[in-house]
Amino acid sequence: MSTPTPAGAARVGIVMGSDSDWPVMEAAATALAEFDVAFEADVVSAHRMPDEMLAYGRDAADRGLSVLVAGAGGAAHLPGMLAAVTPLPVIGVPVPLRHLDGMDSLLSIVQMPAGVPVATVSIGNARNAGLLAVRILAAGDPALRERMVRFQESLRDAAHAKGEVVRTAVAGRTRAGF
């Protein structure tokens, strides 16, 4: 995995149960990098290394992290277990596996008991998890909030351009008698 910033500088922790989850979770890292948000990424398995996973969650805030993005497949305990031991917001990413296409992961992550919230994105959508982490940080960072506003404007502009393509295609068909 990668830690693109010096130790202690990360604002977001990206964790997953196995390195096989990285192809999905890398999209969160990419989104954070687009906003110049420092992050760390690592494997912290809830089932294979529970002591380390609990320590990671307990120590995350003291190490300077502000948000955790946790990807998990199958039983998907990692996001919920981290949420149980940290005061930080946790964003869960259901990682699709060979069986059940990630539906099992999604249901596991969203079924958290009262008092232990985990924000959850759609199956395999680590990019949205990264963008949600940026929005959480932007709530207290005016410069980052402005960058998010510009990003949202670019999404709107792209949607307008796509609408123009469709309107032009429809107008062309209408004139041609279709």
Side-chain angles (χ1 to χ4, degrees):
M1 298 309 130
S2 63
T3 303
T5 57
R11 297 177 72 188
V12 176
I14 301 172
V15 291
M16 61 219 78
S18 172
D19 64 342
S20 64
D21 298 337
W22 180 242
V24 170
M25 298 304 294
E26 188 173 14
T30 300
L32 292 166
E34 289 172 14
F35 286 86
D36 299 316
V37 172
F39 65 90
E40 63 184 31
D42 206 348
V43 170
V44 184
S45 173
H47 298 109
R48 295 178 192 96
M49 46 194 294
D51 294 332
E52 292 91 335
M53 180 267 309
L54 292 170
Y56 183 90
R58 286 185 183 123
D59 299 341
D62 291 339
R63 291 188 308 103
L65 297 177
S66 297
V67 181
L68 301 181
V69 176
H77 287 100
L78 182 59
M81 291 304 299
L82 289 172
V85 298
T86 186
L88 301 178
V90 176
I91 303 167
V93 179
V95 174
L97 300 177
R98 215 173 323 157
H99 306 289
L100 303 176
D101 296 323
M103 186 58 73
D104 52 342
S105 308
L106 173 65
L107 294 174
S108 180
I109 295 171
V110 299
Q111 296 297 323
M112 293 303 301
V116 188
V118 173
T120 309
V121 297
S122 61
I123 298 169
N125 199 344
R127 178 165 177 77
N128 265 1
L131 293 171
L132 180 55
V134 171
R135 287 179 177 214
I136 291 168
L137 295 171
D141 182 335
L144 192 55
R145 186 169 47 250
E146 180 54 36
R147 289 185 71 183
M148 178 53 72
V149 168
R150 287 194 311 269
F151 172 77
Q152 290 174 297
E153 289 169 352
S154 75
L155 293 177
R156 182 197 63 225
D157 293 345
H160 281 301
K162 290 175 183 184
E164 181 60 28
V165 168
V166 170
R167 289 188 300 276
T168 300
V170 169
R173 292 183 100 179
T174 303
R175 281 192 294 267
F178 292 101

